[in-house]
Amino acid sequence: MIYFRDQEITHADQEAFSARFGPFAEDAYTQGVPGHLHVQPLIKEASQTLGVVFGAGWHTDSPFLAEPPAISMLYGVEIPPYGGDTIWANSALAYATLSDAMKAILAPLKVHMSMGRVVETAQAHQAPDDTPLGRVASTKGLAKLPDEIARKVAGSFHPLVRTHPVTGEKALYCDQTYACGIEGLTPAEAEPLLGFLVSHITQSAFTCRLRWAPKTYVAWDNRICVHQAFNDYDGFRRELYRTTIAGEAPA
Ligand code: SIN
């Protein structure tokens, strides 16, 4: 991730800057602001108490898609006086520090990425509303998930070790939120391995944590890191805007 302080930008500026990195990605949760369909609001009002905040849990963005977004960008407008930080972990460094024996075990494996856990958590802990997770929570009680959400719960199988298409760097493609199985392994076999990989990637030596300020602009490469938001600022407003750049099928 890389960040810049004190950027005075409009939605149009963010859209234009983001577009320099490639076409916009499909966004799995949010809708754009009027007039800027690719600039997605991430707003938690001071009056909102959410059971679970959008982005909670270590994750890479929308890996359940066949072609997950390569790059995500966030611009901070209103920031709580405390809390609301974002933390990232370097999954390429995590891969590089594995033993050769573990690298050989992981090399042929495919991870199952699904929105299933997010749907379960949102339905259990979030009231239906117009927030990204509130929209997912509104599926609670339906006899059948809408096709759009069912497609994301069915998800995608991707290489557990992916190679960055530009730099050739290898990284672990695994997270706490969406990685739910490994092709060909039983759940009892896959769960401990995925659990180990998530703990390995997210150990503090591989992380950095951003204290937001208004006008901070952040960009990160979802192919080589995971990130997490915190639900620790009830009573204060947090307003950020996100853009995502299309990626390729992980290979
Ligand atoms: C996200 O996961 O994209 C949101 C991060 C945040 O709100 O800090």
Side-chain angles (χ1 to χ4, degrees):
M1 60 80 79
I2 184 167
Y3 69 96
F4 307 90
R5 299 287 191 197
D6 301 321
Q7 301 303 303
E8 293 265 3
I9 61 165
T10 62
H11 292 327
D13 293 332
Q14 181 170 356
E15 214 162 32
F17 178 69
S18 304
R20 293 185 183 195
F21 292 81
F24 291 103
E26 169 183 355
D27 192 82
Y29 291 99
T30 56
Q31 285 163 0
V33 296
H36 302 282
L37 292 182
H38 299 292
V39 178
Q40 302 129 13
L42 289 189
I43 300 173
K44 181 173 177 283
E45 298 294 348
S47 57
Q48 281 177 310
T49 307
L50 302 179
V52 58
V53 77
F54 180 76
W58 286 105
H59 65 284
T60 175
D61 281 343
S62 304
F64 43 79
L65 299 176
E67 296 186 348
I71 296 168
S72 300
M73 300 186 182
L74 272 181
Y75 180 58
V77 172
E78 190 169 344
I79 304 300
Y82 60 81
D85 297 355
T86 309
I87 186 166
W88 284 263
N90 185 330
S91 52
L93 191 54
Y95 175 77
T97 55
L98 290 172
S99 64
D100 287 344
M102 180 55 91
K103 286 178 183 166
I105 291 170
L106 302 179
L109 299 181
K110 289 199 161 183
V111 60
H112 184 198
M113 296 290 204
S114 159
M115 197 200 252
R117 228 177 263 134
V118 171
V119 173
E120 277 169 28
T121 307
Q123 289 184 350
H125 298 290
Q126 174 65 47
D129 60 20
D130 201 30
T131 62
L133 288 179
R135 285 195 285 274
V136 175
S138 65
T139 60
K140 188 173 175 174
L142 297 181
K144 184 172 164 294
L145 286 174
D147 288 351
E148 195 49 26
I149 295 203
R151 174 175 72 90
K152 293 165 186 166
V153 171
S156 296
F157 287 82
H158 294 306
L160 189 49
V161 177
R162 66 178 296 183
T163 304
H164 195 282
V166 179
T167 65
E169 195 173 22
K170 287 184 187 237
L172 292 168
Y173 200 50
C174 176
D175 71 4
Q176 180 184 37
T177 300
Y178 299 114
C180 65
I182 296 178
E183 192 174 63
L185 299 195
T186 64
E189 292 166 340
E191 276 162 26
L193 184 51
L194 293 174
F196 160 71
L197 291 174
V198 170
S199 324
H200 176 68
I201 295 167
T202 58
Q203 62 183 281
S204 33
F206 302 153
T207 65
C208 64
R209 177 167 174 154
L210 178 72
R211 175 72 201 130
W212 285 92
K215 303 182 197 168
T216 299
Y217 196 93
V218 183
W220 68 91
D221 191 326
N222 284 299
R223 299 166 292 195
I224 47 173
C225 67
V226 293
H227 62 284
Q228 179 178 22
F230 295 95
N231 192 12
D232 58 356
Y233 53 94
D234 277 356
F236 298 102
R237 190 168 192 275
R238 184 174 185 264
E239 176 181 359
L240 292 89
Y241 291 90
R242 191 164 84 129
T243 38
T244 52
I245 315 303
E248 55 292 305

